Amino acid sequence: MVDIIQLLPDHVANQIAAGEVVQRPASLVKELLENAIDAKATSVNLVIKDAGKTLVQVIDNGIGMSVTDARFCFERHATSKIKAAEDLFNINTKGFRGEALASIAAIAHVELKTKRELDEIGTHIVIEGSKVDAQDAVVVPVGTSISVKNLFYNIPARRNFLKTNTVETRHVIDEFHRVALAHPQVAFSFINNGSTVFNLPASNMRQRIVNIFGAKTNEKLVPVSEETEIVSVEGFVVKPEFSKKGRGEQFFFVNNRFIKSPYLHHAINSAFEGLIKEGGQPGYFLFLQVDTTSIDINIHPTKTEIKFDDEHAIYAMLRASVKHSLGQFSIVPVLDFNKDPEMDTPYDFNTKNPVAPTIEVDRNFNPFEKEQRRRNDYATFKENSNSQLNSWEAMYVGLKSNENSLNLESIEFESEEVTGSFFESEEKTPSEITFQLQNKYIMSPIKSGIMVIHQNLAHQRVLYESILKNITVKEAISQQLLFPLRLNFTSQDIEVLKNIQEQLEHTGFGFSAFEKETIEINGIPVSVKESEIKNILECLVNDIRTDIPDVGFSQNDLLAKSLAKSLAVKTGKPMKVEEQEHLVHQLFACKEPTKSPNNKPVLMILDASDIDKKFN
Ligand code: ADP
Ligand code: MG
């Protein structure tokens, strides 16, 4: 019998290896930036086009390569960084596997220009699909420039798997942040589709953070600095009151390499325990230095996970040093652990002008009319509930509690159409009486038993359909603000918001300016409170970033889901009977009342016959 095993040709092996190293344009950015750092560059420029799909170029002023090295660097396992297996246990460079360039050259069009200080003339190489197409001499400055064009040109399946430009650009920016933060002494610039996104001069750690995340960041940082025998920690944590919803700025670096570590993240979380409101996430920029022989970086091709010899000790040390810093900078004593700081003063002057309390009398009130009014006239209900709300609000001007972050107003986001056609046709007419169970479910008796409706999911469905309709029909009503609202975001968040500006405008937002780190809003959807806007937009940016969408991704859909989630009445919120009924009617005016926007069941019916069985 003939032997059947054979060695894979190099270009095939390289393509397979590429699958591990290069997942998306951001992977190119990471590998090329790291090579520039390893080449001791003091200035590194990153240029991308179309989120890196058509071009990722990195230009550095590092040591460059000789003619032979320039040719050789595209071979697999070709590296100048380690020579023997022992070296693996003492890594001081970013790269060492010698895989990146070989992988990249297998799946893109690559052009390299490089020159060393001692050489008269530089080298130019064009390589595509692992095949060298051209090699000649060029006149170039000292350093290296590598352009990677048309990523995955020969692997359509991978190309189709890439996300939208917004999402891919986000990943690129994340990688850029990680490398730029780890090397503040190196100058970086970043040009996206011809416009400069970052221009970071060589600086210290704090300045680098501020240059990336905006001038406002400076006051939010609390320094952390601690040294023990096994590890030293330097860096900053973000003051608890500035913690963000969703994962904000969270960076761990070990020996100047960005790493992901849920375990160490937990250490920080526990140091912040009791200081951050529920749902908030601590922000941190922490730089750990450990003995290179005490870690193993070689456990993952992208080298973002590492193994520590003594993880528990590092955990304890990290937690203690963060606690220490928070205490030292008297973050801790001013906060009462169990108290919402906003409860200290019922008058929240920052967000609202005080309104003199007034007693409102409902002049139309007629106790005998109640039954009749309840029956069907939801328009009247709407008016009444608003006036109730106003008088209620007048009593507690500005007093905010988490639970009240959403109120009646938002329930009326829907159109006036509240005909409960579902009930008429299906013979499941709800009685006039609904009630709430555990401030979470709306219980509505129907002929055959009782309907249990999840209030939050139901409201999400209502809002989702209405927002989606507004985006497509482009007719949302906007509430114009007398004084435009100026909100600070990072420049990356602003990029994301800019991308969906048009859709947001169709939901009722109005933007009067996009600046570097500020946006100015002059109109907001009618049902939304001014004070909630920041939170809503933050959640939205966060949702867009966590690339939930894959196939069939629709930005509108994501936007509608995210807004619906932010605006929907929360579980735990008591609802008046009228509010409950109103929501039920709105729900059944929806196209798909039984499913939440994320496809969870919104309601269930407990059949009387099933109840009967329990008594048999
Ligand atoms: P690794 O970084 O793991 O060694 P790479 O495939 O990324 O593997 O790079 C291969 C080799 O090419 C490096 O070891 C280095 O010698 C050389 N090289 C890559 N990029 C640069 C650069 N920007 N400047 C100088 N040399 C470089
Ligand atoms: Mg490398």
Side-chain angles (χ1 to χ4, degrees):
M1 228 180 117
V2 258
D3 298 328
I4 51 169
I5 297 178
Q6 52 180 335
L7 274 177
L8 286 176
D10 263 358
H11 69 275
V12 179
N14 285 339
Q15 246 191 40
I16 295 171
E20 284 196 323
V21 183
V22 185
Q23 276 110 36
R24 49 175 18 126
S27 327
L28 303 175
V29 170
K30 173 182 190 306
E31 295 298 335
L32 298 180
L33 289 179
E34 290 191 346
N35 278 348
I37 299 292
D38 283 344
K40 305 191 170 52
T42 56
S43 168
V44 180
N45 306 314
L46 168 67
V47 180
I48 67 165
K49 283 205 181 114
D50 290 331
K53 292 172 185 170
T54 45
L55 173 74
V56 172
Q57 181 179 19
V58 171
I59 307 158
D60 70 53
N61 65 351
I63 57 173
M65 284 181 260
S66 70
V67 186
T68 327
D69 284 352
R71 185 69 184 252
F72 201 46
C73 71
F74 294 108
E75 294 296 319
R76 208 139 62 94
H77 307 309
T79 180
S80 55
K81 300 169 193 173
I82 58 171
K83 294 196 166 59
E86 298 89 82
D87 298 348
L88 268 179
F89 303 101
N90 189 8
I91 301 276
N92 289 305
T93 49
K94 306 276 138 198
F96 56 86
R97 296 168 62 114
E99 281 177 329
L101 292 184
S103 302
I104 294 169
I107 48 160
H109 297 158
V110 179
E111 186 177 6
L112 164 73
K113 289 180 191 161
T114 187
K115 188 177 100 73
R116 296 181 300 174
E117 179 100 66
L118 55 99
D119 294 329
E120 278 286 296
I121 203 119
T123 310
H124 175 222
I125 288 179
V126 179
I127 181 165
E128 294 183 8
S130 297
K131 240 181 66 242
V132 178
D133 263 9
Q135 175 169 354
D136 39 40
V138 277
V139 179
V140 281
V142 173
T144 303
S145 154
I146 300 189
S147 311
V148 182
K149 291 179 195 154
N150 310 322
L151 178 63
F152 299 136
Y153 79 100
N154 52 356
I155 317 180
R158 302 287 312 241
R159 200 169 58 234
N160 296 336
F161 195 69
L162 293 176
K163 305 281 163 68
T164 56
N165 281 3
T166 312
V167 173
E168 293 300 342
T169 306
R170 183 66 240 163
H171 285 289
V172 167
I173 292 173
D174 282 346
E175 289 300 345
F176 178 81
H177 281 167
R178 292 166 184 175
V179 180
L181 284 170
H183 302 278
Q185 73 289 355
V186 176
F188 286 93
S189 74
F190 177 13
I191 296 173
N192 179 18
N193 289 332
S195 56
T196 305
V197 186
F198 291 103
N199 202 346
L200 310 170
S203 61
N204 64 25
M205 171 80 304
R206 189 173 192 127
Q207 287 164 333
R208 177 56 52 95
I209 296 174
V210 170
N211 286 338
I212 293 179
F213 295 103
K216 304 259 169 14
T217 321
N218 200 16
E219 54 178 306
K220 302 180 188 172
L221 300 177
V222 183
V224 178
S225 173
E226 213 89 35
E227 205 171 330
T228 68
E229 257 176 34
I230 55 160
V231 57
S232 80
V233 184
E234 292 288 332
F236 301 90
V237 290
V238 175
K239 288 181 189 164
E241 67 261 38
F242 296 109
S243 64
K244 285 192 180 171
K245 283 225 163 138
R247 299 181 133 261
E249 282 85 47
Q250 301 180 336
F251 297 91
F252 274 123
F253 300 89
V254 175
N255 297 356
N256 294 328
R257 180 192 301 279
F258 172 82
I259 59 139
K260 292 178 185 155
S261 169
Y263 183 66
L264 296 186
H265 173 75
H266 191 268
I268 312 292
N269 259 347
S270 77
F272 271 86
E273 206 170 279
L275 298 173
I276 297 185
K277 278 196 211 158
E278 220 187 291
Q281 288 268 358
Y284 52 84
F285 307 85
L286 294 171
F287 293 79
L288 281 66
Q289 293 290 339
V290 295
D291 189 344
T292 47
T293 57
S294 75
I295 49 171
D296 182 1
I297 321 166
N298 199 20
I299 51 173
H300 197 267
T302 57
K303 300 171 289 230
T304 47
E305 284 164 38
I306 65 175
K307 227 170 107 238
F308 296 95
D309 281 355
D310 198 350
E311 211 169 34
H312 297 308
I314 294 180
Y315 180 102
M317 144 78 175
L318 204 53
R319 180 169 182 267
S321 47
V322 170
K323 275 197 143 184
H324 181 201
S325 289
L326 291 174
Q328 201 174 21
F329 292 87
S330 56
I331 308 289
V332 183
V334 295
L335 281 163
D336 182 334
F337 282 66
N338 298 317
K339 205 162 63 171
D340 177 349
E342 285 175 7
M343 299 300 273
D344 283 341
T345 42
Y347 296 95
D348 184 353
F349 292 112
N350 294 333
T351 52
K352 273 205 184 125
N353 292 326
V355 176
T358 52
I359 298 168
E360 287 228 348
V361 180
D362 181 357
R363 290 179 207 286
N364 298 324
F365 182 70
N366 172 349
F368 304 106
E369 249 176 37
K370 196 161 185 252
E371 258 325 292
Q372 190 195 339
R373 193 179 68 215
R374 273 266 295 282
R375 200 138 278 153
N376 239 333
D377 191 353
Y378 279 94
T380 322
F381 153 66
K382 205 174 135 180
E383 253 172 58
N384 281 335
S385 56
N386 269 340
S387 69
Q388 269 167 20
L389 182 81
N390 290 341
S391 55
W392 175 87
E393 251 189 348
M395 285 165 70
Y396 301 95
V397 156
L399 176 64
K400 283 193 292 179
S401 86
N402 283 343
E403 289 311 333
N404 285 333
S405 63
L406 197 121
N407 56 42
L408 264 181
E409 290 167 2
S410 46
I411 290 177
E412 285 138 23
F413 201 81
E414 240 303 67
S415 61
E416 295 291 305
E417 247 219 280
V418 286
T419 44
S421 56
F422 177 89
F423 298 113
E424 272 115 53
S425 57
E426 299 274 303
E427 247 203 345
K428 284 177 183 159
T429 317
S431 85
E432 287 297 297
I433 306 128
T434 60
F435 61 95
Q436 220 181 354
L437 185 69
Q438 298 184 333
N439 289 338
K440 188 170 172 189
Y441 301 105
I442 299 171
M443 311 293 283
S444 184
I446 54 174
K447 224 173 193 170
S448 64
I450 189 161
M451 192 185 287
V452 186
I453 300 170
H454 192 286
Q455 68 188 45
N456 171 261
L457 296 178
H459 197 205
Q460 281 195 36
R461 164 53 64 182
V462 169
L463 294 174
Y464 168 75
E465 288 198 8
S466 143
I467 294 167
L468 210 54
K469 187 173 122 221
N470 286 335
I471 300 177
T472 21
V473 193
K474 309 182 175 165
E475 61 175 19
I477 312 154
S478 176
Q479 155 191 5
Q480 292 302 304
L481 299 177
L482 204 50
F483 303 102
L485 193 61
R486 289 180 64 82
L487 298 175
N488 295 318
F489 285 94
T490 63
S491 48
Q492 301 83 52
D493 288 357
I494 289 182
E495 232 5 74
V496 173
L497 290 171
K498 234 194 215 161
N499 264 319
I500 50 165
Q501 178 182 358
E502 202 186 322
Q503 288 103 316
L504 280 171
E505 280 170 354
H506 296 151
T507 69
F509 281 94
F511 296 93
S512 41
F514 279 93
E515 290 159 25
K516 193 158 178 283
E517 283 163 14
T518 313
I519 53 173
E520 201 176 270
I521 295 178
N522 59 4
I524 58 178
V526 265
S527 51
V528 180
K529 279 209 245 158
E530 218 176 304
S531 57
E532 292 167 352
I533 295 293
K534 171 96 181 160
N535 208 345
I536 290 169
L537 292 179
E538 265 179 13
C539 289
L540 179 63
V541 169
N542 199 46
D543 282 347
I544 292 177
R545 274 198 206 153
T546 40
D547 51 343
I548 318 157
D550 38 56
V551 265
F553 160 61
S554 140
Q555 236 175 9
N556 293 348
D557 191 61
L558 178 63
L559 179 81
K561 277 183 189 157
S562 174
L563 290 180
K565 195 175 72 196
S566 295
L567 295 173
V569 64
K570 304 286 179 289
T571 53
K573 165 111 165 77
M575 291 173 78
K576 295 202 197 90
V577 176
E578 291 90 338
E579 294 169 13
Q580 297 168 26
E581 289 182 356
H582 188 53
L583 178 57
V584 172
H585 280 282
Q586 286 187 314
L587 178 66
F588 288 102
C590 283
K591 285 202 195 93
E592 218 179 314
T594 57
K595 292 256 162 55
S596 82
N598 291 312
N599 252 336
K600 290 194 196 142
V602 165
L603 55 89
M604 57 161 285
I605 291 166
L606 208 56
D607 232 56
S609 58
D610 288 337
I611 301 174
D612 289 343
K613 282 185 204 140
K614 296 265 177 213
F615 294 95
N616 277 328

